[in-house]
Amino acid sequence: MGRWILCFSMIFLLLTGCSSTDEHSSESADMAGADHSASKIEESPNEDSQLQGSESSQLSPLQAERKVVFNANLSLTVEDLPQATNKLNELTTSYKGYVVEESTYTEGESVLGSMTVRIPQGQFYAFLDQAEAIGKGVSQKSITGADVTEQYIDLNSRLKAKEAVMKRLQGFLDEATKTEDLLSISNDLSRVQEEIEQLKGQINYLDNQSEFSTVTLSLEQEKITVPTFAENEFSTFTEAKKLFMTTANGLLSFGSKSIVFLIGLSPIFLPLLAVGLFFYIRYRKKTKKVDQNL
């Protein structure tokens, strides 16, 4: 009897030990699985942030490139205007630019000229330095810049949207069977195509304005004053002519005033003149009678 009790007790102990070992192993496995899943959850935000960082680092070419339009005004004083104009033309060609407008004109005693040239943006400041060296004395210069990147990106986005609409309309046009539908879709397609061409024109304009800078040059030939005979001591004829005109004007003025004076006092002078003539005539008659009696 004691042997059986001992055998049952040993079997009971073995069974409880195995069950506790299984539970411990399952719990450890569960904890390991939980730790592994937690580590995955913790690692996933890092992976997402890395993906977001890689996406943000890969910017579109439109966002990475800035579109800036440069304009400059340069006023120069030169010794010889035609020679300076030729030098500026040669300088523009050497910098792979081109002349938009060129003119020469006179204003009073001044000889003036103007030029408008387009220079590649990378050569903009170098060209200004070389052009400024052609002038004499102190030159006047002003530079302005306008960032049109946002406008450029907006135009490209609108262009892509319009092109997508055009593709859908072309698909609708291919599937349409009714005449009314064909006319309506054709009108919409023509309008969208016109808007696309306008957007492309604006984009090309901004490309040209940002790739080539505009420089407006104002030129003035240096004045050379040459003295003449009339301005110095050789002015006898001029002085004599001036004196003659002054004398003649004085005499005319005196005669005019005398006539005005006589006409104005004629009511007094005429009776006196008549009385004087009367006594003069009587005097003459008496003188003749005395002469005859003698």
Side-chain angles (χ1 to χ4, degrees), residues 10-130:
M10 291 180 67
I11 291 169
F12 179 77
L13 290 172
L14 289 172
L15 291 173
T16 55
C18 290
S19 63
S20 63
T21 304
D22 293 334
E23 289 175 0
H24 180 70
S25 62
S26 63
E27 288 177 1
S28 61
D30 293 335
M31 291 178 65
D35 293 337
H36 183 67
S37 61
S39 64
K40 285 185 176 180
I41 293 173
E42 292 176 356
E43 291 175 0
S44 60
N46 294 329
E47 292 176 357
D48 293 338
S49 62
Q50 291 177 358
L51 289 173
Q52 292 176 357
S54 62
E55 289 177 359
S56 62
S57 62
Q58 295 177 355
L59 297 175
S60 64
L62 295 177
Q63 293 175 341
E65 182 182 0
R66 306 299 299 178
K67 293 286 183 181
V68 182
V69 178
F70 286 104
N71 294 288
N73 293 307
L74 184 61
S75 299
L76 301 174
T77 302
V78 297
E79 292 182 354
D80 189 339
L81 185 60
Q83 184 178 0
T85 303
N86 292 333
K87 288 183 179 180
L88 289 171
N89 276 299
E90 293 175 358
L91 185 64
T92 302
T93 303
S94 65
Y95 279 102
K96 297 181 180 180
Y98 59 93
V99 178
V100 178
E101 180 269 338
E102 178 181 345
S103 63
T104 303
Y105 55 95
T106 58
E107 186 175 332
E109 297 180 356
S110 301
V111 182
L112 307 174
S114 65
M115 291 182 65
T116 302
V117 299
R118 304 295 307 283
I119 303 298
Q121 192 179 98
Q123 308 293 333
F124 177 64
Y125 289 101
F127 174 84
L128 286 179
D129 293 337
Q130 293 290 328

Side-chain angles (χ1 to χ4, degrees), residues 205-224:
Y205 175 77
L206 290 181
D207 282 331
N208 181 265
Q209 290 295 312
S210 59
E211 291 174 2
F212 284 83
S213 302
T214 304
V215 180
T216 303
L217 299 154
S218 298
L219 308 175
E220 182 178 3
Q221 185 168 305
E222 190 176 11
K223 296 179 181 178
I224 301 175

Side-chain angles (χ1 to χ4, degrees), residues 125-161:
Y125 289 101
F127 174 84
L128 286 179
D129 293 337
Q130 293 290 328
E132 194 172 2
I134 295 175
K136 301 293 181 182
V138 180
S139 61
Q140 297 180 356
K141 178 174 64 177
S142 64
I143 300 174
T144 59
D147 192 341
V148 295
T149 307
E150 294 183 1
Q151 182 181 357
Y152 189 78
I153 293 174
D154 178 65
L155 289 173
N156 278 275
S157 300
R158 290 166 57 190
L159 177 62
K160 290 180 181 179

